[in-house]
mmCIF file of all heavy atoms in Angstrom:
data_model
loop_
_atom_site.group_PDB
_atom_site.id
_atom_site.type_symbol
_atom_site.label_atom_id
_atom_site.label_comp_id
_atom_site.label_asym_id
_atom_site.label_seq_id
_atom_site.Cartn_x
_atom_site.Cartn_y
_atom_site.Cartn_z
ATOM 1 N N MET A 1428 -26.674 -23.002 -21.604
ATOM 2 C CA MET A 1428 -26.203 -23.547 -20.234
ATOM 3 C C MET A 1428 -24.856 -23.132 -19.924
ATOM 4 O O MET A 1428 -24.572 -22.807 -18.745
ATOM 5 C CB MET A 1428 -26.263 -25.033 -20.339
ATOM 6 C CG MET A 1428 -27.587 -25.667 -20.186
ATOM 7 S SD MET A 1428 -27.386 -26.979 -19.124
ATOM 8 C CE MET A 1428 -28.952 -27.604 -18.925
ATOM 9 N N ILE A 1429 -23.969 -22.957 -20.933
ATOM 10 C CA ILE A 1429 -22.647 -22.339 -20.654
ATOM 11 C C ILE A 1429 -22.755 -21.029 -20.061
ATOM 12 O O ILE A 1429 -22.036 -20.640 -19.076
ATOM 13 C CB ILE A 1429 -21.755 -22.412 -21.904
ATOM 14 C CG1 ILE A 1429 -21.492 -23.949 -22.311
ATOM 15 C CG2 ILE A 1429 -20.404 -21.684 -21.591
ATOM 16 C CD1 ILE A 1429 -20.797 -24.083 -23.528
ATOM 17 N N GLU A 1430 -23.651 -20.205 -20.638
ATOM 18 C CA GLU A 1430 -23.803 -18.767 -20.112
ATOM 19 C C GLU A 1430 -24.216 -18.696 -18.647
ATOM 20 O O GLU A 1430 -23.761 -17.952 -17.967
ATOM 21 C CB GLU A 1430 -24.767 -18.091 -21.044
ATOM 22 C CG GLU A 1430 -24.215 -17.763 -22.468
ATOM 23 C CD GLU A 1430 -25.101 -17.036 -23.272
ATOM 24 O OE1 GLU A 1430 -26.175 -16.445 -22.744
ATOM 25 O OE2 GLU A 1430 -24.928 -17.014 -24.500
ATOM 26 N N VAL A 1431 -25.165 -19.688 -18.364
ATOM 27 C CA VAL A 1431 -25.624 -19.760 -16.986
ATOM 28 C C VAL A 1431 -24.411 -20.070 -16.044
ATOM 29 O O VAL A 1431 -24.310 -19.491 -14.925
ATOM 30 C CB VAL A 1431 -26.737 -20.753 -16.743
ATOM 31 C CG1 VAL A 1431 -27.104 -20.934 -15.229
ATOM 32 C CG2 VAL A 1431 -27.941 -20.391 -17.559
ATOM 33 N N GLY A 1432 -23.518 -21.015 -16.432
ATOM 34 C CA GLY A 1432 -22.407 -21.372 -15.605
ATOM 35 C C GLY A 1432 -21.504 -20.186 -15.512
ATOM 36 O O GLY A 1432 -20.931 -19.968 -14.333
ATOM 37 N N CYS A 1433 -21.191 -19.465 -16.514
ATOM 38 C CA CYS A 1433 -20.321 -18.154 -16.507
ATOM 39 C C CYS A 1433 -20.925 -17.240 -15.501
ATOM 40 O O CYS A 1433 -20.249 -16.600 -14.772
ATOM 41 C CB CYS A 1433 -20.178 -17.716 -17.961
ATOM 42 S SG CYS A 1433 -19.233 -18.703 -18.926
ATOM 43 N N VAL A 1434 -22.253 -17.029 -15.647
ATOM 44 C CA VAL A 1434 -22.889 -15.984 -14.785
ATOM 45 C C VAL A 1434 -22.688 -16.458 -13.371
ATOM 46 O O VAL A 1434 -22.416 -15.695 -12.470
ATOM 47 C CB VAL A 1434 -24.333 -15.808 -15.122
ATOM 48 C CG1 VAL A 1434 -25.095 -15.070 -14.045
ATOM 49 C CG2 VAL A 1434 -24.580 -15.231 -16.468
ATOM 50 N N ASN A 1435 -22.881 -17.773 -13.055
ATOM 51 C CA ASN A 1435 -22.730 -18.283 -11.655
ATOM 52 C C ASN A 1435 -21.270 -17.989 -11.172
ATOM 53 O O ASN A 1435 -21.129 -17.560 -9.975
ATOM 54 C CB ASN A 1435 -23.156 -19.741 -11.506
ATOM 55 C CG ASN A 1435 -24.616 -19.960 -11.660
ATOM 56 O OD1 ASN A 1435 -25.377 -19.098 -11.352
ATOM 57 N ND2 ASN A 1435 -24.997 -21.152 -11.994
ATOM 58 N N PHE A 1436 -20.329 -18.320 -12.065
ATOM 59 C CA PHE A 1436 -18.950 -18.019 -11.621
ATOM 60 C C PHE A 1436 -18.682 -16.544 -11.341
ATOM 61 O O PHE A 1436 -17.965 -16.153 -10.448
ATOM 62 C CB PHE A 1436 -17.986 -18.560 -12.653
ATOM 63 C CG PHE A 1436 -17.822 -20.022 -12.607
ATOM 64 C CD1 PHE A 1436 -17.920 -20.804 -13.758
ATOM 65 C CD2 PHE A 1436 -17.373 -20.639 -11.488
ATOM 66 C CE1 PHE A 1436 -17.880 -22.159 -13.854
ATOM 67 C CE2 PHE A 1436 -17.147 -22.139 -11.459
ATOM 68 C CZ PHE A 1436 -17.435 -22.760 -12.661
ATOM 69 N N MET A 1437 -19.240 -15.690 -12.175
ATOM 70 C CA MET A 1437 -19.125 -14.194 -12.082
ATOM 71 C C MET A 1437 -19.737 -13.785 -10.717
ATOM 72 O O MET A 1437 -19.279 -13.034 -10.032
ATOM 73 C CB MET A 1437 -19.725 -13.482 -13.169
ATOM 74 C CG MET A 1437 -18.958 -13.646 -14.506
ATOM 75 S SD MET A 1437 -19.714 -12.911 -15.900
ATOM 76 C CE MET A 1437 -19.902 -11.185 -15.326
ATOM 77 N N GLN A 1438 -20.936 -14.388 -10.373
ATOM 78 C CA GLN A 1438 -21.538 -14.147 -9.103
ATOM 79 C C GLN A 1438 -20.759 -14.608 -7.924
ATOM 80 O O GLN A 1438 -20.580 -13.858 -7.013
ATOM 81 C CB GLN A 1438 -22.974 -14.823 -9.111
ATOM 82 C CG GLN A 1438 -23.987 -14.152 -10.032
ATOM 83 C CD GLN A 1438 -25.351 -14.862 -9.983
ATOM 84 O OE1 GLN A 1438 -25.320 -16.140 -9.686
ATOM 85 N NE2 GLN A 1438 -26.425 -14.167 -10.249
ATOM 86 N N VAL A 1439 -20.170 -15.692 -8.062
ATOM 87 C CA VAL A 1439 -19.241 -16.224 -7.009
ATOM 88 C C VAL A 1439 -18.042 -15.257 -6.877
ATOM 89 O O VAL A 1439 -17.681 -14.910 -5.702
ATOM 90 C CB VAL A 1439 -18.764 -17.676 -7.365
ATOM 91 C CG1 VAL A 1439 -17.579 -17.995 -6.329
ATOM 92 C CG2 VAL A 1439 -19.917 -18.628 -7.152
ATOM 93 N N ASP A 1440 -17.537 -14.803 -7.995
ATOM 94 C CA ASP A 1440 -16.391 -13.883 -7.875
ATOM 95 C C ASP A 1440 -16.825 -12.596 -7.218
ATOM 96 O O ASP A 1440 -16.045 -12.053 -6.336
ATOM 97 C CB ASP A 1440 -15.859 -13.616 -9.297
ATOM 98 C CG ASP A 1440 -15.087 -14.801 -9.876
ATOM 99 O OD1 ASP A 1440 -14.633 -15.722 -9.112
ATOM 100 O OD2 ASP A 1440 -14.832 -14.767 -11.108
ATOM 101 N N ALA A 1441 -17.990 -12.088 -7.603
ATOM 102 C CA ALA A 1441 -18.458 -10.836 -7.047
ATOM 103 C C ALA A 1441 -18.641 -11.050 -5.548
ATOM 104 O O ALA A 1441 -18.235 -10.116 -4.677
ATOM 105 C CB ALA A 1441 -19.772 -10.469 -7.738
ATOM 106 N N ILE A 1442 -19.181 -12.148 -5.012
ATOM 107 C CA ILE A 1442 -19.384 -12.445 -3.684
ATOM 108 C C ILE A 1442 -18.008 -12.438 -2.887
ATOM 109 O O ILE A 1442 -17.884 -11.908 -1.891
ATOM 110 C CB ILE A 1442 -20.253 -13.701 -3.439
ATOM 111 C CG1 ILE A 1442 -21.681 -13.510 -3.885
ATOM 112 C CG2 ILE A 1442 -20.147 -14.130 -1.933
ATOM 113 C CD1 ILE A 1442 -22.486 -14.688 -3.970
ATOM 114 N N GLU A 1443 -17.074 -13.109 -3.486
ATOM 115 C CA GLU A 1443 -15.727 -13.237 -2.899
ATOM 116 C C GLU A 1443 -15.142 -11.845 -2.862
ATOM 117 O O GLU A 1443 -14.416 -11.569 -1.755
ATOM 118 C CB GLU A 1443 -14.877 -14.189 -3.767
ATOM 119 C CG GLU A 1443 -15.215 -15.628 -3.666
ATOM 120 C CD GLU A 1443 -14.419 -16.530 -4.656
ATOM 121 O OE1 GLU A 1443 -13.606 -15.971 -5.460
ATOM 122 O OE2 GLU A 1443 -14.501 -17.795 -4.455
ATOM 123 N N LEU A 1444 -15.339 -11.008 -3.791
ATOM 124 C CA LEU A 1444 -14.849 -9.627 -3.716
ATOM 125 C C LEU A 1444 -15.475 -8.850 -2.599
ATOM 126 O O LEU A 1444 -14.884 -8.073 -1.873
ATOM 127 C CB LEU A 1444 -14.937 -8.926 -5.070
ATOM 128 C CG LEU A 1444 -14.090 -9.332 -6.132
ATOM 129 C CD1 LEU A 1444 -14.392 -8.774 -7.549
ATOM 130 C CD2 LEU A 1444 -12.579 -9.027 -5.845
ATOM 131 N N GLN A 1445 -16.749 -9.098 -2.380
ATOM 132 C CA GLN A 1445 -17.508 -8.407 -1.394
ATOM 133 C C GLN A 1445 -16.975 -8.873 -0.017
ATOM 134 O O GLN A 1445 -16.804 -8.107 0.936
ATOM 135 C CB GLN A 1445 -18.966 -8.641 -1.412
ATOM 136 C CG GLN A 1445 -19.701 -7.983 -2.685
ATOM 137 C CD GLN A 1445 -21.168 -8.303 -2.752
ATOM 138 O OE1 GLN A 1445 -21.559 -9.443 -2.531
ATOM 139 N NE2 GLN A 1445 -21.930 -7.396 -3.313
ATOM 140 N N VAL A 1446 -16.789 -10.150 0.070
ATOM 141 C CA VAL A 1446 -16.271 -10.751 1.406
ATOM 142 C C VAL A 1446 -14.824 -10.044 1.662
ATOM 143 O O VAL A 1446 -14.472 -9.677 2.736
ATOM 144 C CB VAL A 1446 -16.076 -12.280 1.335
ATOM 145 C CG1 VAL A 1446 -15.282 -12.779 2.507
ATOM 146 C CG2 VAL A 1446 -17.455 -12.928 1.279
ATOM 147 N N ASP A 1447 -14.014 -9.993 0.605
ATOM 148 C CA ASP A 1447 -12.637 -9.355 0.680
ATOM 149 C C ASP A 1447 -12.860 -7.918 1.263
ATOM 150 O O ASP A 1447 -12.063 -7.551 2.108
ATOM 151 C CB ASP A 1447 -11.879 -9.414 -0.594
ATOM 152 C CG ASP A 1447 -11.420 -10.829 -0.920
ATOM 153 O OD1 ASP A 1447 -11.484 -11.749 -0.067
ATOM 154 O OD2 ASP A 1447 -11.046 -11.084 -2.073
ATOM 155 N N ALA A 1448 -13.770 -7.209 0.677
ATOM 156 C CA ALA A 1448 -14.002 -5.728 1.002
ATOM 157 C C ALA A 1448 -14.514 -5.777 2.509
ATOM 158 O O ALA A 1448 -14.057 -4.810 3.150
ATOM 159 C CB ALA A 1448 -14.980 -5.229 0.061
ATOM 160 N N ILE A 1449 -15.301 -6.532 2.928
ATOM 161 C CA ILE A 1449 -15.785 -6.556 4.274
ATOM 162 C C ILE A 1449 -14.591 -6.850 5.296
ATOM 163 O O ILE A 1449 -14.383 -6.189 6.273
ATOM 164 C CB ILE A 1449 -16.984 -7.594 4.493
ATOM 165 C CG1 ILE A 1449 -18.174 -7.044 3.696
ATOM 166 C CG2 ILE A 1449 -17.212 -7.775 6.061
ATOM 167 C CD1 ILE A 1449 -19.305 -8.112 3.599
ATOM 168 N N GLU A 1450 -13.799 -7.808 4.864
ATOM 169 C CA GLU A 1450 -12.677 -8.145 5.704
ATOM 170 C C GLU A 1450 -11.719 -6.973 5.797
ATOM 171 O O GLU A 1450 -11.080 -6.729 6.836
ATOM 172 C CB GLU A 1450 -11.814 -9.378 5.133
ATOM 173 C CG GLU A 1450 -12.695 -10.633 5.297
ATOM 174 C CD GLU A 1450 -12.030 -11.886 4.676
ATOM 175 O OE1 GLU A 1450 -11.059 -11.645 3.836
ATOM 176 O OE2 GLU A 1450 -12.440 -13.006 4.900
ATOM 177 N N LEU A 1451 -11.534 -6.215 4.677
ATOM 178 C CA LEU A 1451 -10.695 -5.045 4.758
ATOM 179 C C LEU A 1451 -11.263 -3.984 5.626
ATOM 180 O O LEU A 1451 -10.544 -3.281 6.344
ATOM 181 C CB LEU A 1451 -10.364 -4.423 3.329
ATOM 182 C CG LEU A 1451 -9.445 -5.333 2.473
ATOM 183 C CD1 LEU A 1451 -9.600 -4.778 0.973
ATOM 184 C CD2 LEU A 1451 -8.039 -5.284 2.984
ATOM 185 N N GLN A 1452 -12.600 -3.817 5.560
ATOM 186 C CA GLN A 1452 -13.182 -2.869 6.475
ATOM 187 C C GLN A 1452 -13.060 -3.276 7.904
ATOM 188 O O GLN A 1452 -12.861 -2.423 8.825
ATOM 189 C CB GLN A 1452 -14.759 -2.843 6.088
ATOM 190 C CG GLN A 1452 -15.079 -2.037 4.843
ATOM 191 C CD GLN A 1452 -16.457 -2.088 4.389
ATOM 192 O OE1 GLN A 1452 -17.251 -3.049 4.761
ATOM 193 N NE2 GLN A 1452 -16.904 -1.099 3.626
ATOM 194 N N VAL A 1453 -13.154 -4.524 8.228
ATOM 195 C CA VAL A 1453 -12.969 -4.983 9.621
ATOM 196 C C VAL A 1453 -11.526 -4.668 10.026
ATOM 197 O O VAL A 1453 -11.260 -4.202 11.141
ATOM 198 C CB VAL A 1453 -13.238 -6.509 9.652
ATOM 199 C CG1 VAL A 1453 -12.702 -7.096 11.013
ATOM 200 C CG2 VAL A 1453 -14.762 -6.773 9.553
ATOM 201 N N ASP A 1454 -10.597 -4.952 9.158
ATOM 202 C CA ASP A 1454 -9.108 -4.574 9.476
ATOM 203 C C ASP A 1454 -9.035 -3.108 9.790
ATOM 204 O O ASP A 1454 -8.358 -2.662 10.686
ATOM 205 C CB ASP A 1454 -8.224 -4.983 8.403
ATOM 206 C CG ASP A 1454 -8.090 -6.515 8.187
ATOM 207 O OD1 ASP A 1454 -8.459 -7.226 9.110
ATOM 208 O OD2 ASP A 1454 -7.592 -7.001 7.164
ATOM 209 N N ALA A 1455 -9.668 -2.287 8.882
ATOM 210 C CA ALA A 1455 -9.577 -0.842 9.054
ATOM 211 C C ALA A 1455 -10.158 -0.403 10.372
ATOM 212 O O ALA A 1455 -9.657 0.439 11.121
ATOM 213 C CB ALA A 1455 -10.339 -0.143 8.013
ATOM 214 N N ILE A 1456 -11.305 -1.069 10.732
ATOM 215 C CA ILE A 1456 -11.984 -0.675 12.022
ATOM 216 C C ILE A 1456 -10.992 -1.100 13.233
ATOM 217 O O ILE A 1456 -10.888 -0.378 14.217
ATOM 218 C CB ILE A 1456 -13.333 -1.391 12.182
ATOM 219 C CG1 ILE A 1456 -14.249 -0.601 11.126
ATOM 220 C CG2 ILE A 1456 -13.907 -1.280 13.652
ATOM 221 C CD1 ILE A 1456 -15.589 -1.445 10.965
ATOM 222 N N GLU A 1457 -10.414 -2.233 13.190
ATOM 223 C CA GLU A 1457 -9.542 -2.688 14.148
ATOM 224 C C GLU A 1457 -8.263 -1.750 14.310
ATOM 225 O O GLU A 1457 -7.885 -1.440 15.392
ATOM 226 C CB GLU A 1457 -9.004 -4.047 13.913
ATOM 227 C CG GLU A 1457 -10.071 -5.213 14.046
ATOM 228 C CD GLU A 1457 -9.664 -6.593 13.635
ATOM 229 O OE1 GLU A 1457 -8.514 -6.684 13.072
ATOM 230 O OE2 GLU A 1457 -10.317 -7.490 13.894
ATOM 231 N N LEU A 1458 -7.772 -1.245 13.152
ATOM 232 C CA LEU A 1458 -6.674 -0.334 13.209
ATOM 233 C C LEU A 1458 -7.153 1.025 13.851
ATOM 234 O O LEU A 1458 -6.362 1.660 14.605
ATOM 235 C CB LEU A 1458 -6.153 0.008 11.842
ATOM 236 C CG LEU A 1458 -5.383 -1.138 11.257
ATOM 237 C CD1 LEU A 1458 -5.085 -0.779 9.740
ATOM 238 C CD2 LEU A 1458 -3.989 -1.396 11.934
ATOM 239 N N GLN A 1459 -8.434 1.420 13.568
ATOM 240 C CA GLN A 1459 -8.947 2.729 14.151
ATOM 241 C C GLN A 1459 -9.131 2.446 15.692
ATOM 242 O O GLN A 1459 -8.741 3.350 16.535
ATOM 243 C CB GLN A 1459 -10.291 3.014 13.600
ATOM 244 C CG GLN A 1459 -10.233 3.600 12.130
ATOM 245 C CD GLN A 1459 -11.475 3.775 11.515
ATOM 246 O OE1 GLN A 1459 -12.514 3.062 11.839
ATOM 247 N NE2 GLN A 1459 -11.636 4.723 10.634
ATOM 248 N N VAL A 1460 -9.547 1.289 16.083
ATOM 249 C CA VAL A 1460 -9.668 0.992 17.543
ATOM 250 C C VAL A 1460 -8.217 1.059 18.305
ATOM 251 O O VAL A 1460 -8.079 1.696 19.315
ATOM 252 C CB VAL A 1460 -10.234 -0.372 17.833
ATOM 253 C CG1 VAL A 1460 -10.118 -0.809 19.292
ATOM 254 C CG2 VAL A 1460 -11.725 -0.323 17.436
ATOM 255 N N ASP A 1461 -7.228 0.438 17.598
ATOM 256 C CA ASP A 1461 -5.836 0.505 18.089
ATOM 257 C C ASP A 1461 -5.427 1.947 18.228
ATOM 258 O O ASP A 1461 -4.828 2.358 19.205
ATOM 259 C CB ASP A 1461 -4.888 -0.232 17.162
ATOM 260 C CG ASP A 1461 -5.084 -1.712 17.211
ATOM 261 O OD1 ASP A 1461 -5.795 -2.243 18.195
ATOM 262 O OD2 ASP A 1461 -4.620 -2.428 16.354
ATOM 263 N N ALA A 1462 -5.660 2.840 17.146
ATOM 264 C CA ALA A 1462 -5.263 4.153 17.207
ATOM 265 C C ALA A 1462 -5.946 4.895 18.401
ATOM 266 O O ALA A 1462 -5.386 5.754 19.147
ATOM 267 C CB ALA A 1462 -5.650 4.889 15.907
ATOM 268 N N ILE A 1463 -7.195 4.659 18.626
ATOM 269 C CA ILE A 1463 -7.923 5.320 19.706
ATOM 270 C C ILE A 1463 -7.378 4.924 21.128
ATOM 271 O O ILE A 1463 -7.267 5.711 21.948
ATOM 272 C CB ILE A 1463 -9.432 4.960 19.615
ATOM 273 C CG1 ILE A 1463 -10.129 5.683 18.397
ATOM 274 C CG2 ILE A 1463 -10.208 5.397 20.873
ATOM 275 C CD1 ILE A 1463 -11.468 5.272 18.120
ATOM 276 N N GLU A 1464 -7.036 3.625 21.131
ATOM 277 C CA GLU A 1464 -6.424 3.125 22.449
ATOM 278 C C GLU A 1464 -5.057 3.777 22.704
ATOM 279 O O GLU A 1464 -4.766 4.198 23.730
ATOM 280 C CB GLU A 1464 -6.317 1.586 22.361
ATOM 281 C CG GLU A 1464 -7.663 0.884 22.466
ATOM 282 C CD GLU A 1464 -7.525 -0.593 22.326
ATOM 283 O OE1 GLU A 1464 -6.447 -1.141 21.924
ATOM 284 O OE2 GLU A 1464 -8.536 -1.310 22.549
ATOM 285 N N LEU A 1465 -4.315 3.924 21.609
ATOM 286 C CA LEU A 1465 -3.019 4.654 21.741
ATOM 287 C C LEU A 1465 -3.158 6.171 22.154
ATOM 288 O O LEU A 1465 -2.425 6.627 22.899
ATOM 289 C CB LEU A 1465 -2.180 4.528 20.367
ATOM 290 C CG LEU A 1465 -1.610 3.139 20.152
ATOM 291 C CD1 LEU A 1465 -1.034 3.147 18.736
ATOM 292 C CD2 LEU A 1465 -0.574 2.731 21.154
ATOM 293 N N GLN A 1466 -4.269 6.758 21.527
ATOM 294 C CA GLN A 1466 -4.473 8.121 21.912
ATOM 295 C C GLN A 1466 -4.872 8.216 23.434
ATOM 296 O O GLN A 1466 -4.475 9.148 24.091
ATOM 297 C CB GLN A 1466 -5.571 8.785 21.016
ATOM 298 C CG GLN A 1466 -5.221 8.953 19.639
ATOM 299 C CD GLN A 1466 -6.286 9.426 18.632
ATOM 300 O OE1 GLN A 1466 -7.440 9.058 18.928
ATOM 301 N NE2 GLN A 1466 -5.998 10.153 17.654
ATOM 302 N N ALA A 1467 -5.689 7.265 23.855
ATOM 303 C CA ALA A 1467 -6.048 7.290 25.277
ATOM 304 C C ALA A 1467 -4.862 7.001 26.150
ATOM 305 O O ALA A 1467 -4.762 7.756 27.221
ATOM 306 C CB ALA A 1467 -7.124 6.142 25.540
ATOM 307 N N ASP A 1468 -3.945 6.223 25.806
ATOM 308 C CA ASP A 1468 -2.755 6.035 26.565
ATOM 309 C C ASP A 1468 -1.939 7.289 26.577
ATOM 310 O O ASP A 1468 -1.421 7.632 27.631
ATOM 311 C CB ASP A 1468 -1.985 4.856 25.940
ATOM 312 C CG ASP A 1468 -2.562 3.420 26.204
ATOM 313 O OD1 ASP A 1468 -3.418 3.400 26.968
ATOM 314 O OD2 ASP A 1468 -2.062 2.538 25.415
ATOM 315 N N ALA A 1469 -1.854 7.992 25.471
ATOM 316 C CA ALA A 1469 -1.025 9.305 25.303
ATOM 317 C C ALA A 1469 -1.681 10.262 26.287
ATOM 318 O O ALA A 1469 -0.961 11.007 27.025
ATOM 319 C CB ALA A 1469 -1.011 9.706 24.006
ATOM 320 N N ILE A 1470 -3.049 10.342 26.348
ATOM 321 C CA ILE A 1470 -3.617 11.229 27.188
ATOM 322 C C ILE A 1470 -3.303 10.959 28.669
ATOM 323 O O ILE A 1470 -3.148 11.888 29.403
ATOM 324 C CB ILE A 1470 -5.117 11.293 26.853
ATOM 325 C CG1 ILE A 1470 -5.419 11.918 25.523
ATOM 326 C CG2 ILE A 1470 -5.946 12.091 27.993
ATOM 327 C CD1 ILE A 1470 -6.936 11.761 24.974
ATOM 328 N N GLU A 1471 -3.432 9.678 29.043
ATOM 329 C CA GLU A 1471 -3.120 9.329 30.368
ATOM 330 C C GLU A 1471 -1.776 9.675 30.755
ATOM 331 O O GLU A 1471 -1.419 10.116 31.864
ATOM 332 C CB GLU A 1471 -3.315 7.834 30.521
ATOM 333 C CG GLU A 1471 -4.772 7.412 30.582
ATOM 334 C CD GLU A 1471 -5.026 5.907 30.659
ATOM 335 O OE1 GLU A 1471 -3.968 5.125 30.788
ATOM 336 O OE2 GLU A 1471 -6.192 5.507 30.632
ATOM 337 N N LEU A 1472 -0.775 9.517 29.755
ATOM 338 C CA LEU A 1472 0.674 9.927 30.077
ATOM 339 C C LEU A 1472 0.712 11.351 30.270
ATOM 340 O O LEU A 1472 1.479 11.861 31.073
ATOM 341 C CB LEU A 1472 1.556 9.425 28.942
ATOM 342 C CG LEU A 1472 1.855 7.859 28.932
ATOM 343 C CD1 LEU A 1472 2.526 7.459 27.600
ATOM 344 C CD2 LEU A 1472 2.506 7.378 30.138
ATOM 345 N N GLN A 1473 -0.043 12.245 29.510
ATOM 346 C CA GLN A 1473 0.051 13.671 29.634
ATOM 347 C C GLN A 1473 -0.500 14.011 30.934
ATOM 348 O O GLN A 1473 0.043 15.005 31.546
ATOM 349 C CB GLN A 1473 -0.764 14.235 28.504
ATOM 350 C CG GLN A 1473 -0.009 14.222 27.138
ATOM 351 C CD GLN A 1473 -0.930 14.717 26.016
ATOM 352 O OE1 GLN A 1473 -2.139 14.667 26.106
ATOM 353 N NE2 GLN A 1473 -0.258 15.246 24.979
ATOM 354 N N ALA A 1474 -1.613 13.353 31.394
ATOM 355 C CA ALA A 1474 -2.173 13.662 32.718
ATOM 356 C C ALA A 1474 -1.132 13.360 33.769
ATOM 357 O O ALA A 1474 -1.023 14.236 34.791
ATOM 358 C CB ALA A 1474 -3.490 12.879 32.871
ATOM 359 N N ASP A 1475 -0.402 12.212 33.742
ATOM 360 C CA ASP A 1475 0.576 11.861 34.695
ATOM 361 C C ASP A 1475 1.789 12.946 34.698
ATOM 362 O O ASP A 1475 2.091 13.332 35.700
ATOM 363 C CB ASP A 1475 1.155 10.560 34.365
ATOM 364 C CG ASP A 1475 0.180 9.312 34.588
ATOM 365 O OD1 ASP A 1475 -0.822 9.557 35.265
ATOM 366 O OD2 ASP A 1475 0.516 8.263 34.055
ATOM 367 N N ALA A 1476 2.091 13.380 33.548
ATOM 368 C CA ALA A 1476 3.106 14.445 33.429
ATOM 369 C C ALA A 1476 2.678 15.753 34.073
ATOM 370 O O ALA A 1476 3.425 16.320 34.757
ATOM 371 C CB ALA A 1476 3.443 14.630 31.976
ATOM 372 N N ILE A 1477 1.431 16.083 33.840
ATOM 373 C CA ILE A 1477 0.874 17.273 34.507
ATOM 374 C C ILE A 1477 0.881 17.151 36.063
ATOM 375 O O ILE A 1477 1.238 18.092 36.765
ATOM 376 C CB ILE A 1477 -0.438 17.605 33.896
ATOM 377 C CG1 ILE A 1477 -0.344 18.093 32.531
ATOM 378 C CG2 ILE A 1477 -1.194 18.676 34.738
ATOM 379 C CD1 ILE A 1477 -1.739 18.141 31.772
ATOM 380 N N GLU A 1478 0.505 16.028 36.471
ATOM 381 C CA GLU A 1478 0.529 15.804 37.958
ATOM 382 C C GLU A 1478 1.893 15.884 38.463
ATOM 383 O O GLU A 1478 2.170 16.420 39.614
ATOM 384 C CB GLU A 1478 -0.133 14.408 38.298
ATOM 385 C CG GLU A 1478 -1.693 14.419 38.009
ATOM 386 C CD GLU A 1478 -2.241 12.969 38.285
ATOM 387 O OE1 GLU A 1478 -1.436 12.047 38.696
ATOM 388 O OE2 GLU A 1478 -3.457 12.839 38.073
ATOM 389 N N LEU A 1479 2.828 15.260 37.767
ATOM 390 C CA LEU A 1479 4.258 15.420 38.242
ATOM 391 C C LEU A 1479 4.776 16.781 38.275
ATOM 392 O O LEU A 1479 5.450 17.209 39.163
ATOM 393 C CB LEU A 1479 5.109 14.516 37.375
ATOM 394 C CG LEU A 1479 5.014 12.972 37.511
ATOM 395 C CD1 LEU A 1479 5.810 12.231 36.494
ATOM 396 C CD2 LEU A 1479 5.529 12.493 38.936
ATOM 397 N N GLN A 1480 4.379 17.534 37.241
ATOM 398 C CA GLN A 1480 4.771 18.924 37.229
ATOM 399 C C GLN A 1480 4.155 19.696 38.333
ATOM 400 O O GLN A 1480 4.760 20.509 38.975
ATOM 401 C CB GLN A 1480 4.397 19.625 35.896
ATOM 402 C CG GLN A 1480 5.176 19.193 34.722
ATOM 403 C CD GLN A 1480 4.701 19.683 33.360
ATOM 404 O OE1 GLN A 1480 3.505 20.072 33.177
ATOM 405 N NE2 GLN A 1480 5.535 19.773 32.313
ATOM 406 N N ALA A 1481 2.851 19.427 38.698
ATOM 407 C CA ALA A 1481 2.250 20.078 39.837
ATOM 408 C C ALA A 1481 2.890 19.710 41.140
ATOM 409 O O ALA A 1481 3.137 20.556 41.959
ATOM 410 C CB ALA A 1481 0.707 19.661 39.895
ATOM 411 N N ASP A 1482 3.225 18.503 41.306
ATOM 412 C CA ASP A 1482 4.030 18.033 42.487
ATOM 413 C C ASP A 1482 5.393 18.741 42.616
ATOM 414 O O ASP A 1482 5.813 19.146 43.675
ATOM 415 C CB ASP A 1482 4.280 16.517 42.418
ATOM 416 C CG ASP A 1482 3.009 15.768 42.682
ATOM 417 O OD1 ASP A 1482 2.009 16.306 43.095
ATOM 418 O OD2 ASP A 1482 2.952 14.503 42.347
ATOM 419 N N ALA A 1483 6.065 18.864 41.441
ATOM 420 C CA ALA A 1483 7.369 19.499 41.387
ATOM 421 C C ALA A 1483 7.263 21.094 41.811
ATOM 422 O O ALA A 1483 8.039 21.599 42.621
ATOM 423 C CB ALA A 1483 7.970 19.435 39.998
ATOM 424 N N ILE A 1484 6.048 21.693 41.406
ATOM 425 C CA ILE A 1484 5.941 23.111 41.746
ATOM 426 C C ILE A 1484 5.707 23.204 43.153
ATOM 427 O O ILE A 1484 6.109 24.134 43.832
ATOM 428 C CB ILE A 1484 4.733 23.643 40.889
ATOM 429 C CG1 ILE A 1484 5.121 23.794 39.414
ATOM 430 C CG2 ILE A 1484 4.276 24.978 41.455
ATOM 431 C CD1 ILE A 1484 3.892 24.043 38.507
ATOM 432 N N GLU A 1485 4.941 22.225 43.769
ATOM 433 C CA GLU A 1485 4.633 22.250 45.209
ATOM 434 C C GLU A 1485 5.873 22.111 46.053
ATOM 435 O O GLU A 1485 6.057 22.659 47.173
ATOM 436 C CB GLU A 1485 3.570 21.165 45.579
ATOM 437 C CG GLU A 1485 2.179 21.498 45.107
ATOM 438 C CD GLU A 1485 1.308 20.305 45.452
ATOM 439 O OE1 GLU A 1485 1.712 19.322 46.039
ATOM 440 O OE2 GLU A 1485 0.173 20.350 44.954
ATOM 441 N N LEU A 1486 6.854 21.365 45.521
ATOM 442 C CA LEU A 1486 8.151 21.117 46.228
ATOM 443 C C LEU A 1486 8.954 22.387 46.173
ATOM 444 O O LEU A 1486 9.613 22.815 46.915
ATOM 445 C CB LEU A 1486 8.891 19.928 45.646
ATOM 446 C CG LEU A 1486 8.184 18.575 45.854
ATOM 447 C CD1 LEU A 1486 9.020 17.454 45.081
ATOM 448 C CD2 LEU A 1486 8.148 18.246 47.373
#
C-alpha cells in the first residue's frame, strides 16, 4: 500500500510538471505574439517613413 501511495504522489508530481511545461509554452507563445506585433508596428513605421520620403522628394 505504501508503494501505491508513492506511485500516486509521483504521478501527481508528473502531472504538475506537465502543467508547468504547458504554462511555459503558453508564455512562450504569448511572447511570440508580442514579437510579431512589434514587427508589424516596425513595418508600419517603415512604410510611414517611406511615404514621408516620397513626399519630401515631391517637394
